[in-house]
Amino acid sequence: MWASTFHIYAGTLVVVGTGTVLGTSIEAGNLWPIAFAFGMSWATLHYAMGRDMNPSISFYRWFHRDMSFMRMLWLWAGQFLGGILASALVWASLGTNALSLGSTALNENLKAGNGFLLEFMGTLFMLFVWHKVQQDHMTVYLMGVAMAAVNMMLLPFTGAGVNPARVFGPSMVQCMAGDCAVTDHWWIYWIGPFAASYLVLEFDRMNMPCEKDGGAAVNPSNHDEEEGSKA
Protein backbone atom coordinates (compact mmCIF):
# COMPACT_ATOMS: atom_id res chain seq x y z
CA MET A 1 0.00 0.00 0.00
CA TRP A 2 2.73 2.47 0.96
CA ALA A 3 4.82 1.57 -2.10
CA SER A 4 1.95 1.99 -4.54
CA THR A 5 0.90 5.26 -2.90
CA PHE A 6 4.46 6.56 -3.24
CA HIS A 7 4.54 5.58 -6.92
CA ILE A 8 1.32 7.48 -7.53
CA TYR A 9 2.70 10.41 -5.52
CA ALA A 10 5.88 10.52 -7.59
CA GLY A 11 4.05 10.10 -10.88
CA THR A 12 1.54 12.84 -10.09
CA LEU A 13 4.37 15.08 -8.91
CA VAL A 14 6.11 14.87 -12.28
CA VAL A 15 2.90 15.15 -14.30
CA VAL A 16 1.63 18.18 -12.40
CA GLY A 17 5.10 19.69 -12.37
CA THR A 18 5.37 19.36 -16.13
CA GLY A 19 1.92 20.79 -16.66
CA THR A 20 2.62 23.66 -14.29
CA VAL A 21 5.88 24.62 -15.99
CA LEU A 22 4.28 24.46 -19.41
CA GLY A 23 1.17 26.27 -18.26
CA THR A 24 3.07 29.35 -17.14
CA SER A 25 3.50 30.52 -20.73
CA ILE A 26 0.34 29.62 -22.59
CA GLU A 27 -0.06 31.60 -25.76
CA ALA A 28 -1.87 30.83 -28.99
CA GLY A 29 1.38 30.21 -30.83
CA ASN A 30 2.73 27.56 -28.44
CA LEU A 31 -0.53 25.77 -27.61
CA TRP A 32 0.34 22.69 -29.65
CA PRO A 33 3.84 22.15 -28.14
CA ILE A 34 2.39 22.55 -24.63
CA ALA A 35 -0.40 20.04 -25.28
CA PHE A 36 1.94 17.55 -26.97
CA ALA A 37 4.59 17.73 -24.23
CA PHE A 38 2.00 17.32 -21.50
CA GLY A 39 0.33 14.39 -23.27
CA MET A 40 3.56 12.51 -23.87
CA SER A 41 4.86 13.05 -20.34
CA TRP A 42 1.53 11.85 -18.97
CA ALA A 43 1.60 8.71 -21.12
CA THR A 44 5.21 7.89 -20.25
CA LEU A 45 4.60 8.21 -16.52
CA HIS A 46 1.32 6.33 -16.84
CA TYR A 47 3.39 3.42 -18.15
CA ALA A 48 6.24 3.77 -15.67
CA MET A 49 4.40 4.67 -12.45
CA GLY A 50 0.95 3.17 -12.84
CA ARG A 51 -2.43 4.19 -14.10
CA ASP A 52 -3.82 6.13 -11.13
CA MET A 53 -2.38 9.63 -11.47
CA ASN A 54 -5.84 11.14 -11.73
CA PRO A 55 -8.36 11.06 -8.84
CA SER A 56 -11.20 10.63 -11.33
CA ILE A 57 -9.63 7.36 -12.53
CA SER A 58 -9.26 6.14 -8.95
CA PHE A 59 -12.88 7.13 -8.36
CA TYR A 60 -13.94 5.09 -11.40
CA ARG A 61 -11.96 2.07 -10.24
CA TRP A 62 -13.50 2.23 -6.77
CA PHE A 63 -17.02 2.33 -8.22
CA HIS A 64 -15.99 -0.52 -10.53
CA ARG A 65 -14.90 -2.49 -7.43
CA ASP A 66 -11.31 -2.74 -8.61
CA MET A 67 -10.11 -1.35 -5.29
CA SER A 68 -11.29 -0.74 -1.75
CA PHE A 69 -12.49 2.62 -0.47
CA MET A 70 -9.42 2.91 1.78
CA ARG A 71 -7.08 2.24 -1.12
CA MET A 72 -8.78 4.97 -3.13
CA LEU A 73 -8.26 7.39 -0.24
CA TRP A 74 -4.57 6.46 -0.03
CA LEU A 75 -4.17 7.03 -3.75
CA TRP A 76 -5.95 10.36 -3.50
CA ALA A 77 -3.57 11.36 -0.72
CA GLY A 78 -0.59 10.56 -2.94
CA GLN A 79 -2.12 12.34 -5.93
CA PHE A 80 -2.99 15.57 -4.11
CA LEU A 81 0.27 15.71 -2.15
CA GLY A 82 2.19 15.09 -5.36
CA GLY A 83 0.33 17.95 -7.01
CA ILE A 84 1.15 20.33 -4.16
CA LEU A 85 4.84 19.42 -4.04
CA ALA A 86 5.19 19.66 -7.81
CA SER A 87 3.79 23.18 -7.83
CA ALA A 88 5.93 24.13 -4.82
CA LEU A 89 9.05 22.96 -6.65
CA VAL A 90 8.11 25.02 -9.70
CA TRP A 91 7.52 28.05 -7.48
CA ALA A 92 10.89 27.52 -5.77
CA SER A 93 12.64 27.10 -9.12
CA LEU A 94 11.08 29.96 -11.07
CA GLY A 95 10.02 32.37 -8.35
CA THR A 96 8.13 35.34 -9.75
CA ASN A 97 8.61 33.95 -13.26
CA ALA A 98 6.22 31.14 -12.37
CA LEU A 99 3.32 33.61 -12.80
CA SER A 100 0.16 31.76 -11.72
CA LEU A 101 1.96 28.38 -11.48
CA GLY A 102 -0.11 27.16 -14.40
CA SER A 103 -3.29 27.16 -12.32
CA THR A 104 -6.55 26.72 -14.16
CA ALA A 105 -8.82 29.65 -14.90
CA LEU A 106 -12.13 29.95 -16.69
CA ASN A 107 -12.11 32.15 -19.77
CA GLU A 108 -13.73 35.47 -18.90
CA ASN A 109 -16.10 35.11 -21.86
CA LEU A 110 -17.57 31.88 -20.49
CA LYS A 111 -19.98 31.15 -17.68
CA ALA A 112 -19.47 28.51 -15.01
CA GLY A 113 -21.98 26.22 -16.72
CA ASN A 114 -19.96 26.39 -19.95
CA GLY A 115 -16.79 25.54 -18.06
CA PHE A 116 -18.46 22.62 -16.31
CA LEU A 117 -19.60 21.11 -19.62
CA LEU A 118 -16.14 21.56 -21.14
CA GLU A 119 -14.40 19.91 -18.18
CA PHE A 120 -17.03 17.17 -18.13
CA MET A 121 -16.67 16.40 -21.85
CA GLY A 122 -12.88 16.60 -21.77
CA THR A 123 -12.69 14.14 -18.88
CA LEU A 124 -15.30 11.92 -20.51
CA PHE A 125 -13.21 11.71 -23.68
CA MET A 126 -10.05 11.00 -21.70
CA LEU A 127 -11.72 8.27 -19.63
CA PHE A 128 -13.28 6.55 -22.63
CA VAL A 129 -9.82 6.30 -24.20
CA TRP A 130 -8.33 5.14 -20.88
CA HIS A 131 -11.01 2.46 -20.56
CA LYS A 132 -10.36 1.17 -24.09
CA VAL A 133 -6.60 1.12 -23.52
CA GLN A 134 -7.07 -0.93 -20.32
CA GLN A 135 -9.66 -3.23 -21.85
CA ASP A 136 -7.81 -4.09 -25.07
CA HIS A 137 -4.23 -3.83 -23.71
CA MET A 138 -3.37 -1.06 -26.16
CA THR A 139 -0.29 1.11 -25.94
CA VAL A 140 -0.53 3.78 -23.26
CA TYR A 141 0.71 6.34 -25.78
CA LEU A 142 -2.83 6.46 -27.09
CA MET A 143 -3.56 8.06 -23.73
CA GLY A 144 -0.87 10.61 -24.48
CA VAL A 145 -2.57 11.48 -27.76
CA ALA A 146 -5.92 11.76 -25.94
CA MET A 147 -4.44 14.04 -23.27
CA ALA A 148 -2.77 16.20 -25.93
CA ALA A 149 -6.12 16.54 -27.73
CA VAL A 150 -7.94 17.46 -24.52
CA ASN A 151 -5.32 20.09 -23.68
CA MET A 152 -5.50 21.52 -27.19
CA MET A 153 -9.27 21.88 -26.86
CA LEU A 154 -9.56 23.11 -23.28
CA LEU A 155 -6.47 25.19 -22.50
CA PRO A 156 -7.88 28.42 -23.99
CA PHE A 157 -11.22 27.98 -22.23
CA THR A 158 -10.76 26.34 -18.82
CA GLY A 159 -7.01 25.78 -18.51
CA ALA A 160 -7.56 22.05 -19.13
CA GLY A 161 -8.14 20.71 -15.64
CA VAL A 162 -9.65 17.20 -16.15
CA ASN A 163 -7.59 16.16 -13.13
CA PRO A 164 -8.52 17.47 -9.66
CA ALA A 165 -4.97 16.88 -8.38
CA ARG A 166 -3.53 18.94 -11.24
CA VAL A 167 -5.96 21.75 -10.31
CA PHE A 168 -5.52 21.48 -6.55
CA GLY A 169 -1.70 21.65 -6.41
CA PRO A 170 -1.14 24.95 -8.24
CA SER A 171 -4.11 26.55 -6.46
CA MET A 172 -2.79 25.68 -3.01
CA VAL A 173 0.75 26.84 -3.73
CA GLN A 174 -0.56 30.02 -5.33
CA CYS A 175 -2.31 30.73 -2.03
CA MET A 176 0.93 30.05 -0.16
CA ALA A 177 2.62 32.57 -2.43
CA GLY A 178 0.13 35.19 -1.28
CA ASP A 179 -2.00 35.30 -4.42
CA CYS A 180 -4.99 33.30 -3.24
CA ALA A 181 -8.05 33.95 -5.35
CA VAL A 182 -10.80 31.38 -4.90
CA THR A 183 -13.36 31.99 -7.64
CA ASP A 184 -17.02 31.05 -7.74
CA HIS A 185 -16.39 28.48 -10.45
CA TRP A 186 -13.86 26.34 -8.57
CA TRP A 187 -16.37 23.48 -8.46
CA ILE A 188 -16.31 22.83 -12.22
CA TYR A 189 -12.83 21.28 -11.91
CA TRP A 190 -14.09 18.78 -9.32
CA ILE A 191 -17.68 17.96 -10.18
CA GLY A 192 -16.98 17.75 -13.92
CA PRO A 193 -14.29 15.01 -13.78
CA PHE A 194 -16.03 12.94 -11.08
CA ALA A 195 -19.38 13.13 -12.90
CA ALA A 196 -17.64 11.96 -16.08
CA SER A 197 -16.12 9.02 -14.16
CA TYR A 198 -19.54 7.90 -13.01
CA LEU A 199 -21.03 8.20 -16.50
CA VAL A 200 -18.24 6.10 -18.03
CA LEU A 201 -18.88 3.48 -15.35
CA GLU A 202 -22.58 3.38 -16.24
CA PHE A 203 -21.74 2.95 -19.93
CA ASP A 204 -19.38 0.15 -18.95
CA ARG A 205 -22.06 -1.59 -16.91
CA MET A 206 -24.56 -1.37 -19.77
CA ASN A 207 -22.08 -2.98 -22.16
CA MET A 208 -20.77 -5.69 -19.81
CA PRO A 209 -23.52 -8.29 -20.60
CA CYS A 210 -22.46 -8.10 -24.25
CA GLU A 211 -18.77 -8.57 -23.47
CA LYS A 212 -18.25 -12.20 -22.67
CA ASP A 213 -15.07 -14.19 -22.41
CA GLY A 214 -15.69 -17.88 -21.81
CA GLY A 215 -19.08 -17.13 -20.22
CA ALA A 216 -17.82 -14.44 -17.82
CA ALA A 217 -18.11 -10.71 -18.21
CA VAL A 218 -14.87 -9.04 -19.09
CA ASN A 219 -13.42 -6.75 -16.45
CA PRO A 220 -11.26 -4.13 -18.17
CA SER A 221 -8.88 -4.17 -15.21
CA ASN A 222 -8.46 -7.94 -14.76
CA HIS A 223 -5.02 -7.86 -16.33
CA ASP A 224 -3.85 -5.79 -13.38
CA GLU A 225 -5.45 -7.41 -10.36
CA GLU A 226 -2.30 -7.06 -8.37
CA GLU A 227 -2.82 -3.35 -7.84
CA GLY A 228 0.24 -2.82 -5.79
CA SER A 229 2.51 -4.13 -8.53
CA LYS A 230 1.64 -1.45 -11.09
CA ALA A 231 -0.24 1.26 -9.25
Side-chain angles (χ1 to χ4, degrees):
M1 181 73 75
W2 281 102
S4 59
T5 302
F6 176 76
H7 287 162
I8 297 305
Y9 164 80
T12 308
L13 187 154
V14 179
V15 166
V16 175
T18 304
T20 300
V21 170
L22 294 172
T24 58
S25 59
I26 293 177
E27 296 176 1
N30 58 14
L31 188 60
W32 162 243
I34 289 172
F36 179 79
F38 186 80
M40 291 302 103
S41 64
W42 197 96
T44 302
L45 287 162
H46 181 85
Y47 175 80
M49 296 290 189
R51 59 187 177 177
D52 286 273
M53 291 180 293
N54 188 326
S56 62
I57 292 179
S58 302
F59 186 67
Y60 167 91
R61 293 186 61 204
W62 171 63
F63 261 115
H64 202 272
R65 299 183 180 179
D66 291 339
M67 66 171 67
S68 67
F69 181 72
M70 285 303 301
R71 177 173 174 77
M72 181 187 73
L73 293 182
W74 276 109
L75 292 179
W76 278 5
Q79 291 157 354
F80 287 113
L81 287 174
I84 292 173
L85 182 57
S87 299
L89 289 173
V90 172
W91 180 34
S93 301
L94 300 180
T96 56
N97 293 325
L99 299 177
S100 63
L101 295 169
S103 59
T104 53
L106 183 64
N107 188 295
E108 60 183 12
N109 296 317
L110 298 178
K111 296 181 180 179
N114 305 129
F116 167 77
L117 287 174
L118 287 169
E119 286 292 310
F120 174 80
M121 291 187 294
T123 309
L124 193 67
F125 173 73
M126 181 270 292
L127 286 172
F128 271 127
V129 175
W130 173 84
H131 183 273
K132 192 65 176 176
V133 167
Q134 298 297 321
Q135 186 180 51
D136 295 345
H137 309 284
M138 297 177 177
T139 174
V140 295
Y141 283 97
L142 288 175
M143 281 299 304
V145 175
M147 288 301 298
V150 169
N151 276 266
M152 282 286 292
M153 292 184 288
L154 298 188
L155 274 172
F157 303 108
T158 66
V162 302
N163 183 339
R166 175 259 181 275
V167 174
F168 183 75
S171 298
M172 288 297 99
V173 176
Q174 191 175 359
C175 286
M176 296 176 193
D179 186 20
C180 188
V182 179
T183 60
D184 293 336
H185 56 260
W186 61 268
W187 57 272
I188 69 175
Y189 300 104
W190 296 76
I191 306 300
F194 287 127
S197 296
Y198 185 75
L199 185 60
V200 171
L201 176 67
E202 290 303 314
F203 275 121
D204 184 34
R205 286 175 173 170
M206 287 189 291
N207 291 327
M208 281 183 69
C210 301
E211 298 173 357
K212 302 290 183 179
D213 185 12
V218 175
N219 184 334
S221 303
N222 277 346
H223 69 285
D224 187 22
E225 292 180 354
E226 293 296 327
E227 296 172 347
S229 63
K230 294 197 70 176

